[in-house]
Amino acid sequence: MLRKLVSLFLLIVLLAACAPKTTPTTPPATEPPAAEQPTAEKPAEEPTAAPPEECTEPVTLDLYMVGNGDTEARSSVEAALNEYIEPLICANVTFHIVGWGDWFAKAITGIQAGEKMDIFFTADWWQYNELVAQGLLMPLNDDNGEYGNLLKLYGKGILDTLNPAFITGTQINGVNYAVPTNKELAVPDGLIYNVALAEEIGFTQEDANKIKSLRDLEPWLEKAKAARPDEYPFLLNFMYAFDPWVDGFAAGVPENLITMKVDPDDNGVFDQNIYNIAESEWFKEYVTIMREWHDKGWVHPEAALQGYEPDQLMNAGKFFIVGQPLKGEGIKANELVNSSGNPDLRLAEIYTHKKVVITLHTGGSMLAIPALSEHPVEAMKFINLLHTDPKVVNICLFGVEGKHWELEADGRVNIIDNSWYSAHPGSWVWGNTQIQYVTNKEDPEKAKRLIEYSNDAYTHPSLGFRFVKGPVEAEITAVQAVCDKYVTALHYGYIDPATELPKFIDELKAAGIDKIKAEVEKQYNEWLATK
């Protein structure tokens, strides 16, 4: 896919490539250290609080999180959280939940303008490298920094519980600029489908197992459209379904144009040849199909416009199928149902890729401290609590106990009021999944399964590589302008690829895409030589 989990309206995850050679499969990803987790038999115990610090004037930490937008539940969640954490770290937290579609206009513009921000959500697919390149995020492991090595001094719990692959995989030139969530390492792409509509049109699990391409979906999309003429069965979001490429390999290269293939062959061998996606047969076929589906009314005609919210359509069950990153054994489908607020929603999964750990996955969800924050020590202390203190992380996840949720006898959560839980993205953005409770609609062993899911994953040979765009920054700027002109329109089927795709490729050539490709190859080969 060209954009994985990226802005609906601006840009996508960025990828890159390598020298033409093949590499055998490396050993599976190392299992991270196990943290005690909530189970049906024994809910996670809350830590013994340290003696309260002398706190005469607590600071306020402004935390910016992407999600579905602000909610009336926020004030009560903040009150409950702050009552608990103020004696621990002499700080309070104010949440700013910014809608996915508004993130660039509000959060990114805000951090660039120097607005007061102390904790900031980011990810490899969500502007991490760009924010670092602009000097907007604070180094967290700098022994000579103004505040010392924040991770070592105030993030011991983070370092003790995170798999080291998360720490090294998210570094840029050896520097950590954000703290990853402790979650699954392998995140294969796949599809989520609406079970209720599937039953209406006779789509069974056996049929789901036969879906191997976009073309395989067409008979079912036609039936779904006939069954519900006012809906758009293929829910377009920020993802390309059946995307064969490594995500986030050459961060900074516009629209994921330069990359390599993500899956190994049947013998476990990876293809490390470099590709320009725009010139690939895959991209030509994809945009051709999207044009056809747009004309047939299978995709929403306003999918690329500001204000289009695919999550709302999914939560309401007004779709048939959508691309999603998955995490094994129905876990993502359960999470989406729980956060939807729709008691009638039923979702199921289709896996379209093998389990492969890539650099992007280590930084798939992170919390950073903006460079201009005046309270980085307290910010790091709070992030550390998210990795070590079950009470803190579960307030952030579920809201106020007794008001938004209650703990049942088996140690799982019954959600009483969904208003907070549905405002933020879900469990994968809050600190440490291993000390989170699970809902009564989920497996009590979910936290353990999330980690175990990656134990037999392939490790992509590019794991740990990070592209430095400086040598071709002028070309990248020029290529971005070309992409702004064509990519969204092609992705959503607004223009005819038969005439417009050749123009896109020609203008990319003129802008310097081949020079960028050569620079990615050069840097990747140099990186390989150091391994």
Side-chain angles (χ1 to χ4, degrees):
M1 93 168 52
L2 297 180
R3 303 201 293 187
K4 290 241 181 175
L5 302 175
V6 176
S7 168
L8 291 171
F9 317 107
L10 300 179
L11 53 87
I12 57 178
V13 120
L14 313 167
L15 306 167
C18 65
K21 66 189 291 185
T22 56
T23 300
T25 304
T26 54
T30 305
E31 183 178 2
E36 188 174 357
Q37 56 194 303
T39 66
E41 292 75 24
K42 182 182 179 182
E45 296 178 359
E46 296 174 7
T48 302
E53 301 177 7
E54 184 177 351
C55 182
T56 57
E57 189 175 350
V59 303
T60 297
L61 302 174
D62 287 274
L63 189 157
Y64 277 72
M65 175 60 68
V66 73
N68 291 325
D70 200 8
T71 168
E72 293 181 356
R74 176 171 56 83
S75 60
S76 61
V77 175
E78 289 172 348
L81 178 66
N82 292 334
E83 181 182 8
Y84 180 70
I85 68 170
E86 184 178 311
L88 300 179
I89 62 172
C90 199
N92 293 318
V93 169
T94 297
F95 291 105
H96 302 261
I97 309 295
V98 181
W100 290 95
D102 294 329
W103 184 260
F104 284 85
K106 294 182 179 179
I108 297 296
T109 300
I111 194 173
Q112 290 171 339
E115 293 180 12
K116 185 183 181 310
M117 299 177 177
D118 300 289
I119 301 173
F120 197 85
F121 175 78
T122 188
D124 264 305
W125 50 269
W126 200 243
Q127 289 289 292
Y128 176 55
N129 287 274
E130 289 74 14
L131 293 171
V132 171
Q134 295 172 43
L136 297 174
L137 302 183
M138 185 174 292
L140 304 181
N141 61 337
D142 182 1
D143 291 331
N144 299 315
E146 179 181 357
Y147 302 94
N149 189 318
L150 291 167
L151 266 174
K152 284 185 178 179
L153 293 173
Y154 311 106
K156 185 178 184 302
I158 296 167
L159 297 175
D160 287 346
T161 56
L162 271 181
N163 185 325
F166 281 112
I167 298 296
T168 57
T170 55
Q171 289 177 345
I172 297 179
N173 296 327
V175 179
N176 292 102
Y177 292 92
V179 177
T181 302
N182 188 17
K183 62 183 189 66
E184 70 285 346
L185 270 169
V187 188
D189 286 344
L191 301 165
I192 293 282
Y193 67 90
N194 181 352
V195 174
L197 181 50
E199 291 174 349
E200 286 183 42
I201 63 177
F203 184 80
T204 65
Q205 184 60 53
E206 183 179 355
D207 296 315
N209 294 338
K210 296 177 182 178
I211 301 299
K212 304 298 181 184
S213 70
L214 288 172
R215 292 295 187 193
D216 292 340
L217 286 173
E218 292 186 328
W220 301 105
L221 293 172
E222 185 174 14
K223 290 181 180 181
K225 184 66 176 180
R228 299 184 183 181
D230 295 333
E231 297 180 10
Y232 302 93
F234 188 71
L235 186 59
L236 269 175
N237 57 7
F238 40 75
M239 288 187 61
Y240 291 121
F242 293 97
D243 172 11
W245 311 107
V246 172
D247 288 331
F249 182 68
V253 176
E255 305 296 343
N256 191 28
L257 285 175
I258 306 299
T259 186
M260 63 180 70
K261 293 184 179 179
V262 66
D263 283 339
D265 64 19
D266 291 339
N267 295 317
V269 177
F270 286 93
D271 175 3
Q272 292 187 73
N273 288 289
I274 187 170
Y275 295 92
N276 176 351
I277 288 177
E279 294 183 293
S280 69
E281 285 301 313
W282 170 83
F283 186 59
K284 180 179 180 180
E285 180 183 29
Y286 188 93
V287 297
T288 299
I289 290 172
M290 288 302 106
R291 177 66 171 179
E292 294 173 7
W293 291 7
H294 175 274
D295 291 345
K296 291 179 179 180
W298 293 355
V299 299
H300 202 293
E302 299 179 359
L305 302 183
Q306 188 167 3
Y308 169 75
E309 294 288 350
D311 286 353
Q312 293 181 9
L313 293 172
M314 181 170 61
N315 293 344
K318 294 182 178 181
F319 81 108
F320 173 52
I321 202 159
V322 61
Q324 285 284 336
L326 305 178
K327 53 185 72 176
E329 304 178 43
I331 290 176
K332 184 60 174 286
N334 274 337
E335 290 178 347
L336 292 172
V337 168
N338 290 339
S339 64
S340 72
N342 182 354
D344 299 320
L345 185 64
R346 291 178 292 147
L347 302 175
E349 301 175 347
I350 300 174
Y351 284 77
T352 60
H353 284 283
K354 298 174 182 177
K355 291 186 286 186
V356 181
V357 179
I358 61 175
T359 302
L360 179 77
H361 295 162
T362 64
S365 170
M366 297 186 282
L367 292 177
I369 300 175
L372 296 182
S373 169
E374 296 180 357
H375 310 297
V377 170
E378 290 83 2
M380 181 57 73
K381 287 181 178 180
F382 179 73
I383 297 172
N384 191 67
L385 287 177
L386 284 173
H387 282 258
T388 58
D389 192 317
K391 184 166 184 174
V392 172
V393 76
N394 285 302
I395 291 175
C396 290
L397 176 56
F398 296 111
V400 183
E401 184 173 7
K403 178 181 177 67
H404 300 118
W405 60 280
E406 60 187 8
L407 195 63
E408 296 186 336
D410 66 356
R412 292 186 293 175
V413 165
N414 176 42
I415 297 177
I416 304 169
D417 178 343
N418 197 59
S419 56
W420 177 256
Y421 188 71
S422 62
H424 60 75
S427 59
W428 56 278
V429 301
W430 295 118
N432 185 355
T433 61
Q434 299 302 287
I435 59 174
Q436 295 172 0
Y437 293 127
V438 298
T439 72
N440 54 11
K441 296 180 180 179
E442 296 173 299
D443 186 340
E445 296 293 316
K446 170 191 168 183
K448 180 180 179 182
R449 287 167 50 217
L450 276 172
I451 300 301
E452 290 180 345
Y453 181 67
S454 300
N455 286 351
D456 61 347
Y458 295 96
T459 298
H460 198 275
S462 67
L463 181 64
F465 171 70
R466 289 187 177 275
F467 176 62
V468 178
K469 68 179 183 179
V472 286
E473 192 152 11
E475 288 77 12
I476 284 176
T477 300
V479 165
Q480 183 66 66
V482 177
C483 290
D484 290 344
K485 180 178 177 181
Y486 287 100
V487 170
T488 296
L490 286 167
H491 172 54
Y492 293 104
Y494 289 1
I495 57 178
D496 185 359
T499 58
E500 301 306 310
L501 180 56
K503 297 178 185 177
F504 177 43
I505 293 173
D506 287 345
E507 292 187 32
L508 286 175
K509 296 281 189 182
I513 191 65
D514 291 335
K515 183 176 179 181
I516 295 172
K517 179 171 175 278
E519 180 64 26
V520 173
E521 285 183 315
K522 173 178 175 290
Q523 290 190 27
Y524 186 69
N525 285 332
E526 291 172 348
W527 176 81
L528 281 179
T530 67
K531 291 185 66 176

